[in-house]
Amino acid sequence: MKVLLVNPPRFKKVSVIREDRCEIIEKNSVLPPYSLLQIASLLRKRGHEVSLIDANGENIDYPAFEKMVSGMDYGAVIFRFIPATFDWDMQTATISKKHSDAPTIGICWTLGSSVKTVLNEAKDLDIYLMDEYEAVAPELIDRLSAGDGLSDLAGIAYRHEGEIIVNKDASPLKNYDDIPIPAYDLLKSFDFYYADTKHGQPFTIMYTSKGCPNSCIYCTMANTKWKAKSAERVLEELRHLKQNYDIKTIMFFDEAFTINRKRVEKITQAIIDEKLDIHWYCNSRVDLLDRDLLEKMKQAGCKAVCMGIESGSQKVIAEANKRISVEKSAEAIKMVKDAGLKVYCSFIFGLPGENQETVNETIEFIKRTLPTGGEFNIATPYPGTRLHEIALEKGWITGQSDFRTMNQNKSIMRTEELTSEEIERARRQAHHALFLNPKWWAQNIGYVIKNPEDFSLASKYALGALKIAFAH
């Protein structure tokens, strides 16, 4: 079967990230559609013919997209969508329906617990691929190609004779090494892609694992099975990217790259031994790092580690079921900086237990630890999370709350002691506490003096930080 994969256009000219662990509007980054590239390689393995339109990456608007689609022949279309751009993304299905009878298949991790709502509101979406797309997408396309039924295919919801049928959840692939190298050849160019600023290109993201066994109440990936590619499979993909595309920078997009220390040690040692000369970034938890590992990571080309700190208040951390201590977070930030790496930290304002005192604790934590960079978000009660259940129980949101309003930049949920307006004010305070802090500027200027190759990136990041601070 001929299958068309689509990463929909940018939302009002602003880039969108449509990956499981990160489904957000993101004006400062343009990422390759890695999950669609993985699906493409899996479909090719089954003998299907695949094409890709990365409208977001190539900055193709809907009129141009429709012109492209109107002249194409395909038997199914698969696209990704996210809550914040739901109606916008669904235009992909509507346009396809105008020119083809091909089934429209949508993927969104965040709304997997709101399946019937999604299909009721998206009349041109035929099939919702809810979870484990690596296992489900190939089997789904095989069945559509053969004209077989879908009633026993786990991981999807679909329309049948006027009814919405929701099948059981799918099981993940047993062996993630069975996933072929993503179909990078479908990308027109790597020049479109960057994270935060255009620096270190060619750039790509890469999953070496997926899932997180931790139980943080706000996270859409909480309590999901950790599924990893072996060190050997990761290195195979790194070599492919280096040899065929001269990739210079990679963002490992795992929830926590360092969950398995031995795997990381094998990957980093091979990068060193083979002189792959790749700069890379990763996400981790503060309790999954140590000095020896950080030194090995730096030797292997790691430039920065991203960590979710969330709050400088132990009270808030405990209620969020984060299972770390504030002091452990502070120690980890210092440890990463002492290793000569940059450390980017994310914080969330408005979690249960938040009040002005806990906000002040977080602001003081930011001033005390001075991470290299910071991302300051607002607690968002995504469907399927424990936070969503708590917010409903306490009346902070209603059952009729519109998922389209759920993004991390604007509060839709109060706490017991703070209003939405006060939560948004706390976020502004955090931007000022870091980005207008003379000590932060001195620290980062010092880093650039020691690492002059970072001047371009640091300059662009600094300008962006100032814009954010003064905009708030």
Side-chain angles (χ1 to χ4, degrees), residues 311-319 323-327 361:
S311 178
S313 165
Q314 195 62 52
K315 172 190 172 187
V316 172
I317 290 294
E319 293 207 32
R323 291 187 292 187
I324 57 172
S325 73
V326 169
E327 284 313 305
E361 288 181 286

Side-chain angles (χ1 to χ4, degrees), residues 27-312:
K27 66 180 180 180
N28 296 318
S29 301
V30 180
L31 305 187
Y34 191 92
S35 55
L36 294 179
L37 301 179
Q38 282 200 320
I39 290 171
S41 67
L42 287 160
L43 293 178
R44 282 176 169 176
K45 189 176 179 181
R46 300 281 187 105
H48 300 289
E49 185 179 333
V50 185
S51 56
L52 169 72
I53 299 177
D54 182 11
N56 186 78
E58 297 177 45
N59 201 11
I60 298 168
D61 60 17
Y62 269 120
F65 170 73
E66 181 165 6
K67 188 174 181 181
M68 295 170 71
V69 169
S70 65
M72 297 181 73
D73 174 32
Y74 53 92
V77 59
I78 301 175
F79 68 100
R80 295 208 63 134
F81 63 94
I82 73 168
T85 58
F86 181 83
D87 297 314
W88 178 265
D89 295 345
M90 286 302 158
Q91 292 182 64
T92 302
T94 301
I95 289 170
S96 180
K97 287 290 187 187
K98 285 174 62 177
H99 301 283
S100 172
D101 293 329
T104 55
I105 305 163
I107 302 175
C108 173
W109 172 263
T110 304
L111 296 177
S113 63
S114 304
V115 178
K116 288 195 173 182
T117 301
V118 167
L119 285 170
N120 276 324
E121 299 201 16
K123 301 303 182 185
D124 291 318
L125 181 64
D126 296 320
I127 302 171
Y128 185 172
L129 202 165
M130 303 180 294
D131 57 5
E132 306 297 347
Y133 61 78
E134 302 94 339
V136 179
E139 181 64 23
L140 173 60
I141 296 301
D142 281 354
R143 293 194 183 200
L144 292 174
S145 179
D148 294 340
L150 304 177
S151 61
D152 61 340
L153 178 58
I156 66 165
Y158 62 101
R159 304 178 194 278
H160 180 68
E161 296 181 353
E163 299 281 329
I164 293 175
I165 310 298
V166 182
N167 291 353
K168 67 179 182 179
D169 290 342
S171 298
L173 288 177
K174 292 181 179 179
N175 185 358
Y176 259 53
D177 281 5
D178 289 342
I179 302 175
I181 290 175
Y184 291 110
D185 61 286
L186 290 175
L187 299 176
K188 297 286 176 59
S189 171
F190 280 91
D191 293 342
F192 303 125
Y193 308 112
Y194 58 92
D196 290 327
T197 62
K198 290 186 177 181
H199 175 82
Q201 293 169 298
F203 159 86
T204 187
I205 65 169
M206 176 178 166
Y207 286 105
T208 77
S209 69
K210 287 179 68 177
C212 182
N214 293 291
S215 306
C216 305
I217 66 170
Y218 51 82
C219 184
T220 61
M221 300 299 295
N223 302 307
T224 53
K225 183 179 179 181
W226 187 68
K227 304 148 289 195
K229 298 170 185 173
S230 66
E232 292 74 19
R233 169 62 181 78
V234 172
L235 289 161
E236 178 190 8
E237 190 167 335
L238 291 177
R239 295 184 197 107
H240 176 84
L241 286 164
K242 192 66 182 177
Q243 292 165 8
N244 292 280
Y245 305 103
D246 193 28
I247 286 293
K248 290 183 170 57
T249 308
I250 292 174
M251 179 186 289
F252 291 127
F253 221 56
D254 315 31
E255 282 72 40
F257 177 68
T258 56
I259 282 181
N260 185 317
R261 194 182 194 283
K262 289 184 178 179
R263 190 183 74 117
V264 176
E265 287 177 333
K266 286 181 182 179
I267 292 169
T268 51
Q269 189 61 54
I271 291 173
I272 295 166
D273 292 344
E274 297 180 29
K275 297 180 173 63
L276 288 180
D277 190 26
I278 293 172
H279 291 166
W280 52 277
Y281 303 77
C282 70
N283 301 297
S284 185
R285 275 177 58 101
V286 303
D287 53 357
L288 294 175
L289 295 169
D290 60 65
R291 286 179 175 78
D292 290 343
L293 185 61
L294 286 166
E295 287 174 9
K296 179 62 72 69
M297 288 165 58
K298 185 185 180 187
Q299 266 189 285
C302 181
K303 303 295 287 184
V305 177
C306 309
M307 301 186 296
I309 304 299
E310 319 317 353
S311 178

